[in-house]
Amino acid sequence: MPTILPFKAVRPTRDKVSLLASRSYESYTPEERESRLRDNPFSFLQILNPGFKYQKEISGKQRYQLVRNRYQEFKEDEIFMQDREPCYYFYKIVNRDGLEFNGIVAAASAEDYENNLIKKHESTIEYRENTFKEYLKTVGFNAEAVLLTYPDHPEIDEMIAEVMATRAEYEFTTTYRDTHYVWNIDDKTIVEKLQGHFAEMDAVYIADGHHRSSSSALLAANLKAENKNHKGDEPYNYFMSFLIPESDLKIYEFNRLVKDLNGLSKEEFLIQLDAMYRIENRGVAYYKPSKKHHFSMYLDGEFYSLYLRKNNYTINNALEGLDTHILYTTILQPILGIDDVRNDTRLAYADGKKDMVYVKGEVDKENYKVGFGLLPVSVEEMKQIADEGLTMPPKSTYIEPKLRSGVTIYEF
């Protein structure tokens, strides 16, 4: 039974929240980061990029310590405050496309992660896990929640709706045109009911943030070993999460782009494809797949539909039925010679929000030779992969919502 608890968030004052909240650091171009750091002294990027103060690139442990210093300065300057009582933070996002996401920011248990009550569907890289663990250990806080999803629950939906009918603690719109609303809830009746509802669930699932959750679990184990008086209720035993119902998740596909045909001519490539796919030339008409195990392909100025020949492909588990896995095992690896889909520089990814129009443009500009379009992975597929203890190929899902960093902060 998952343990999902309220916590005392460190968060910006109401007058500063819109200035402070930022997207994830990597989502900004260097020019965007430079502009925000130069023009906005309250941006959370000032904490994440402490070297800007000295006009110097700083990395490694020195950067971690300076991040901690900047964070402490924001607290000393009363840009941040901390709630006196543990709260659940009800969070609503209405994005620029008009999609609405309603969920709860809370503390999830690292022990539940280890015991598979928080289920995973993606593999993690040990180097990244350990690097982020050391970062967390030095800075002492987590400002970016792991996105968790739970089965639709009418009673929780009703509680969220009742709270969101009241005035929000925060309401702000970003330059990205997303509007964010936050309610801090310390009412004991609501808190106890929510804890009970989550405890009744068999499991919750990671939608986005596998490395963050894994690093938090490593940190918990590390600090537990160092603490002779460990009790189990210390803040380091938990990590910040944003929990939303399954029906609120928006999952986009990642389309694939490949720089060359692995030494094959166009005709040779199509002949090899024919062994596993029924191929139809769609000409210049835009084509997107409409069924599982169907793919679109853009090659040499034309769209193609690829229909998997099911008599030639056997599905024994959830992973083998996943389109990203099928594309890899039938095309990318055997025909195009791409073994390492995580690191091969001949392969690139474009999230489905850019769609096949973007893929077409990249191929037409001769940046890539061929592009492949997929359908999004469903929530059911994602859960089945996790339930069977399997892991998806990299870049199988692009998931919304995306929370802003710095709106709620969890301290260890």
Side-chain angles (χ1 to χ4, degrees), residues 138-322:
T138 302
V139 303
F141 68 85
N142 188 348
E144 192 171 353
V146 173
L147 182 62
L148 302 179
T149 188
Y150 59 87
D152 286 15
H153 196 292
E155 289 87 351
I156 295 179
D157 289 347
E158 185 177 342
M159 294 173 70
I160 290 175
E162 288 179 0
V163 167
M164 290 186 177
T166 65
R167 183 175 182 270
E169 172 72 5
Y170 296 147
E171 178 181 348
F172 63 97
T173 299
T174 69
T175 54
Y176 207 60
R177 298 184 182 178
D178 296 341
T179 303
H180 297 246
Y181 307 81
V182 183
W183 293 258
N184 52 311
I185 305 300
D186 61 5
D187 181 279
K188 290 184 178 179
T189 301
I190 296 176
V191 166
E192 289 175 2
K193 283 184 178 179
L194 268 179
Q195 280 184 249
H197 288 321
F198 284 121
E200 292 169 356
M201 298 177 186
D202 294 330
V204 295
Y205 294 79
I206 299 175
D208 190 24
H210 284 78
H211 281 92
R212 275 170 277 149
S213 49
S214 178
S215 298
S216 296
L218 286 175
L219 177 66
N222 188 257
L223 295 179
K224 176 182 177 180
E226 294 177 2
N227 183 4
K228 295 180 180 179
N229 300 313
H230 174 84
K231 297 178 181 178
D233 59 354
E234 296 87 354
Y236 60 71
N237 293 293
Y238 298 87
F239 57 91
M240 188 167 65
S241 60
F242 180 44
L243 297 106
I244 69 170
E246 291 172 4
S247 59
D248 264 18
L249 274 184
K250 178 63 176 175
I251 304 178
Y252 296 91
E253 70 278 13
F254 267 104
N255 297 316
R256 271 64 172 154
L257 288 151
V258 183
K259 286 188 177 292
D260 59 68
L261 297 182
N262 197 27
L264 300 172
S265 68
K266 173 184 171 181
E267 291 73 22
E268 290 169 335
F269 174 60
L270 290 172
I271 288 170
Q272 290 203 29
L273 277 183
D274 194 83
M276 291 298 296
Y277 291 91
R278 175 184 169 186
I279 305 169
E280 292 186 14
N281 187 323
R282 302 276 179 162
V284 296
Y286 176 85
Y287 175 73
K288 182 179 175 69
S290 58
K291 294 181 180 179
K292 276 176 62 64
H293 312 332
H294 290 187
F295 304 92
S296 61
M297 182 175 72
Y298 186 72
L299 172 67
D300 194 25
E302 295 178 310
F303 283 96
Y304 295 80
S305 58
L306 307 180
Y307 301 155
L308 182 68
R309 298 187 189 278
K310 296 181 181 179
N311 291 337
N312 295 346
Y313 187 86
T314 302
I315 297 174
N316 296 306
N317 56 43
L319 177 61
E320 291 175 354
L322 198 68

Side-chain angles (χ1 to χ4, degrees), residues 5 17 26 36 56 68 76 85 89 98 100 103 105 113 125 137 201 240 252 269 276-277 321 347 390 403:
L5 299 180
V17 63
E26 295 78 12
R36 282 160 174 75
K56 183 179 179 182
R68 181 176 177 82
E76 291 164 4
E85 298 295 329
Y89 300 90
E100 182 175 314
V105 177
Y113 174 87
I125 301 171
K137 188 174 183 180
M201 298 177 186
M240 188 167 65
Y252 296 91
F269 174 60
M276 291 298 296
Y277 291 91
L347 176 66
L390 304 169
L403 281 184

Side-chain angles (χ1 to χ4, degrees), residues 55-112:
Q55 295 298 300
K56 183 179 179 182
E57 287 289 332
I58 301 173
S59 60
K61 292 184 178 180
Q62 185 181 38
R63 173 178 169 263
Y64 304 165
Q65 186 58 54
L66 288 177
V67 167
R68 181 176 177 82
N69 293 349
R70 293 293 165 275
Y71 175 65
Q72 294 298 332
E73 289 169 8
F74 270 50
K75 292 178 70 175
E76 291 164 4
D77 292 342
E78 298 183 346
I79 298 168
F80 285 131
M81 47 83 68
Q82 186 169 25
D83 288 310
R84 295 182 179 181
E85 298 295 329
C87 297
Y88 285 117
Y89 300 90
F90 287 29
Y91 204 122
K92 176 166 75 173
I93 303 172
V94 181
N95 75 8
R96 62 194 300 173
D97 300 320
L99 297 175
E100 182 175 314
F101 306 96
N102 299 308
I104 300 166
V105 177
S109 166
E111 184 177 4
D112 286 348

Side-chain angles (χ1 to χ4, degrees), residues 255-257 283-287 296-303 350 354-373:
N255 297 316
R256 271 64 172 154
L257 288 151
V284 296
Y286 176 85
Y287 175 73
S296 61
M297 182 175 72
Y298 186 72
L299 172 67
D300 194 25
E302 295 178 310
F303 283 96
K354 297 188 176 100
D355 68 34
M356 285 298 289
V357 173
Y358 173 83
V359 172
K360 177 183 183 300
E362 289 296 295
V363 174
D364 287 345
K365 287 185 288 187
E366 298 185 354
N367 293 329
Y368 298 91
K369 186 67 175 180
V370 62
F372 299 95

